[in-house]
Amino acid sequence: MVLKLYGFTTSTCTLRVAVVLKEKNVPFEFISVDLTKGAHKAPEFTAYQPFGQVPYIDDNGLILYESRAICRYIAAKYASQGTPLLPTDPTATALFEQAASTETSNYDPFVSGLAWELKFAMWFGGKTDEAPGNDITLADLFHLPYGSVLLGIGLDEFSSRPNVARWWKDISSRASWEAVKGGI
């Protein structure tokens, strides 16, 4: 039986699994789950993926969900074919796990939130919620010291990006920054 990948054609997590399947030269059957119609929340889907999320695989009766777990399984099961994707040396494995953990913890949460707000919300009939970005927070103020240093040495990463330039102008002209920017 050929491995079956249940997912949505443009789902980032489905694409994560599909690219690993391609790298490992694993034949698979793609079964489309229409997220726009709520198929991922239907009882016949949640019987296999209890969180109602894509993707999941059926590999000859092994049902597995969570895209990163699926990818590790595929890379391990098909280690002898396609591109080697998992190291075998303990040091290389440790460095791989470090990089994989960094992606999961320090990259994905931020870019997935942006992707949801700026693209996916509209697909599902919503709209971008710009309100969270309009209130100043500590995150804005944290950028001021090093942002000013970069500008001071001629590295302007702000002005070529209109929204970033507007944001920088807004935060760098605050009275609090004006009061301390030259030193306390």
Side-chain angles (χ1 to χ4, degrees):
M1 179 170 107
V2 68
L3 183 144
K4 294 180 181 178
L5 170 61
Y6 292 79
F8 189 67
T9 58
T10 56
S11 153
T12 54
C13 294
T14 300
L15 294 172
R16 180 179 292 132
V17 172
V19 72
V20 171
L21 287 165
K22 293 288 188 181
E23 284 286 337
K24 298 305 290 176
N25 299 319
V26 177
F28 67 97
E29 177 185 352
F30 178 70
I31 292 109
S32 182
V33 178
D34 193 342
L35 301 183
T36 65
K37 295 183 178 170
H40 59 303
K41 300 297 184 184
E44 56 271 14
F45 186 85
T46 59
Y48 297 102
Q49 209 301 357
F51 303 115
Q53 300 168 338
V54 294
Y56 80 83
I57 63 167
D58 180 344
D59 188 17
N60 201 26
L62 171 68
I63 304 299
L64 190 61
Y65 52 86
E66 293 299 321
S67 63
R68 289 174 183 82
I70 296 168
C71 291
R72 280 183 167 92
Y73 166 77
I74 293 164
K77 180 175 181 180
Y78 300 97
S80 65
Q81 66 188 62
T83 307
L85 298 175
L86 289 173
T88 56
D89 171 75
T91 300
T93 298
L95 293 171
F96 158 76
E97 289 297 345
Q98 175 180 278
S101 181
T102 299
E103 185 276 334
T104 301
S105 300
N106 296 302
Y107 175 76
D108 186 81
F110 303 102
V111 298
S112 63
L114 283 171
W116 176 260
E117 283 300 328
L118 301 175
K119 185 170 184 173
F120 304 139
M122 291 178 283
W123 283 1
F124 293 97
K127 63 178 188 166
T128 299
D129 182 4
E130 295 181 13
N134 290 334
D135 295 328
I136 189 157
T137 69
L138 287 174
D140 297 297
L141 300 180
F142 290 164
H143 286 81
L144 286 166
Y146 277 115
S148 293
V149 168
L150 290 178
L151 288 171
I153 60 174
L155 295 174
D156 182 358
E157 295 296 320
F158 305 134
S159 63
S160 65
R161 298 169 176 94
N163 289 329
V164 175
R166 177 198 49 77
W167 165 79
W168 181 256
K169 181 176 182 260
D170 289 350
I171 67 165
S172 64
S173 63
R174 296 182 67 77
S176 60
W177 181 244
E178 291 292 333
V180 301
K181 72 180 183 183
I184 300 172

